[in-house]
Amino acid sequence: MSHEPTDPRSPRSARRPWRAAARVLAAAGLAVNAYVHADLASRYDPVSAAIGQGSLFRIESALAALAAALVLFWRRSLGDVFAWFTAAGGLAALLVYRYVDVGAFGPLPDMYEPLWYAQKDIVVISQVLTVVAMTALLVDRGRERLLAWRSAPGQ
């Protein structure tokens, strides 16, 4: 750890405000996703196979809440990747089950639902915003590591 003062004009410190905004946006998207899935879970309890759709909604809600906490408080690559996969996976599942009648698949029930309604719109928007914000953070972190690696002595 360096004991030298940080130059306030450094490129890293200049990016802090947008990084903080991206983290807040991603965490808000994940929190909305968690809330909506928790709110809808009981409506989907009757749709079941080995695992009920209501249970899957509760799992999605818990994962999104955990991801929001990681994005805000842990701020590590692993947490950011977890948040990205939580949002992207939820969005992919929502779109697949909206447009494709997969039927029951293994322990999963038939979750085909070709309807759009307000909560689904809200979840899609929140997940897209989260994926965009987390992608920007992950790309920036990767770019920063690449630059640091290139400028390391002996490179």
Side-chain angles (χ1 to χ4, degrees), residues 11 143-155:
R143 186 184 65 77
E144 190 175 87
R145 286 184 181 171
L146 180 63
L147 291 174
W149 177 76
R150 285 185 178 170
S151 65
Q155 296 298 322

Side-chain angles (χ1 to χ4, degrees), residues 19-30:
R19 283 182 179 178
R23 286 194 176 282
V24 169
L25 178 66
L30 289 161

Side-chain angles (χ1 to χ4, degrees), residues 62-143:
L63 292 175
L66 174 62
L70 292 175
V71 165
L72 285 178
F73 303 115
W74 195 41
R75 297 182 183 191
R76 302 284 190 272
S77 295
L78 185 60
D80 292 350
V81 169
F82 177 76
W84 188 91
F85 274 109
T86 299
L91 178 62
L94 187 150
L95 294 175
V96 164
Y97 285 109
R98 162 58 179 91
Y99 293 107
V100 180
D101 188 358
V102 176
F105 184 74
L108 302 177
D110 183 0
M111 297 186 288
Y112 178 62
E113 185 177 49
L115 307 170
W116 281 110
Y117 49 91
Q119 291 97 333
K120 197 179 277 192
D121 293 338
I122 290 167
V123 167
V124 167
I125 291 167
S126 71
Q127 289 173 329
V128 167
L129 289 175
T130 300
V131 168
V132 169
M134 294 313 303
T135 299
L137 285 168
L138 289 166
V139 167
D140 186 62
R141 181 173 278 170
R143 186 184 65 77

